[in-house]
């Protein structure tokens, strides 16, 4: 049975209905008239309800980076923010001093912009808003450059990049630099799939905040295997090319202990 009398506040029910309608009308106030259309009671003439635009892709562009900076340096520069990826821009095989940093949430872009013109080492770094398309284009350019030419040509280019790697003593341990921050042990095992590395031979290094630093160590069965694995130097894992360096058990243990 419907109650047709007055409500306790003296109203006749129509005011209560109006209040209920205002509470479900987005963008309106319970205490005032709606300033926008009510999508529940005024549907679109085309039969669909408009949706809010998706949030912007959370990426910033960096300029003026030191030429010896690493992903860890960028993560420290944006201390307190969630870093998803760092991409350094190269041209003709040389670092340009520019890069991109993908953050965890769109809101963090505003916080990243507050670091504009702050110092990284002795250089100040400029921080700009960027777009998904610019970041993807930079990835495509990096992958194209890393994959260009035959394997023999790529090996020659890697050798000229750092001749000291060929003459370094191998102890069965390699250091990996430039890993995506999302890289897992399984990803690294797949990267070295020809060598059958077990999971406990992969050590992903964490930074002081307990997050991946972009570096890792891999233990091989012998020094000969680690030397043979250097053919993977500057090959890609996902969208990133990975640099390999001969290392030692002592250096590996020290890096692991720093991240604990």
């Amino acid at each position: 049975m419907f109650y047709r009398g007055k409500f306790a506040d003296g109203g006749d029910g129509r005011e209560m209905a109006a209040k209920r309608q205002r509470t479900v009308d987005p963008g309106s106030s319970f205490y005032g008239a709606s300033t926008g259309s009510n999508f529940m009671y005024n549907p679109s003439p085309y039969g669909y309800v408009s949706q809010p635009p998706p949030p912007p892709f959370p990426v910033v562009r960096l300029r003026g980076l030191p030429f010896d900076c690493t992903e860890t340096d960028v993560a420290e520069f944006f201390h307190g923010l969630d870093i998803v990826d760092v991409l350094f821009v190269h041209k003709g095989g040389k670092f340009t001093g520019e890069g991109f940093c993908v953050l965890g949430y769109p809101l963090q872009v505003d916080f990243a912009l507050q670091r504009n013109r702050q110092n990284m080492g002795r250089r100040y770094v400029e921080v700009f808003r960027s777009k998904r398309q610019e970041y993807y284009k930079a990835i495509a350019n990096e992958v194209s450059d890393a994959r260009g030419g035959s394997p023999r040509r790529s090996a020659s280019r890697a050798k000229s990049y750092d001749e000291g790697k060929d003459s370094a003593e191998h102890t069965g341990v390699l250091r990996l630099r430039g890993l995506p921050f999302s890289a897992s042990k399984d990803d690294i095992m797949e990267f070295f799939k020809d060598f059958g590395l077990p999971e406990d031979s992969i050590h992903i290094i964490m930074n002081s905040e307990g997050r991946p630093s972009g570096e890792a160590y891999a233990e091989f069965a012998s020094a000969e295997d680690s030397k043979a694995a250097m053919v993977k130097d500057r090959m890609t894992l996902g969208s990133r090319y990975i640099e390999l360096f001969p290392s030692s058990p002592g250096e590996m243990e020290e890096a692991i202990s720093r991240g604990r």
Side-chain angles (χ1 to χ4, degrees), residues 140-151:
N141 291 338
E142 291 295 307
V143 172
S144 176
D145 182 67
R147 291 179 177 174
S150 65

Side-chain angles (χ1 to χ4, degrees), residues 175-232:
R175 177 167 65 93
L176 294 77
R177 187 173 72 183
L179 290 167
F181 289 111
S182 60
S184 65
K185 289 189 176 184
D186 287 340
D187 295 327
I188 298 173
M189 290 163 61
E190 177 65 21
F191 185 72
F192 290 122
K193 62 182 179 181
D194 294 337
F195 299 90
L197 298 182
E199 184 177 352
D200 60 3
S201 68
I202 306 298
H203 308 276
I204 296 176
I205 304 303
M206 303 296 178
N207 61 21
S208 58
E209 296 180 341
R211 298 173 179 173
S213 66
E215 295 193 356
Y217 288 81
E219 297 181 90
F220 291 80
S222 66
E224 289 74 18
D225 280 357
S226 67
K227 188 172 184 178
M230 287 296 295
V231 298
K232 305 286 288 185

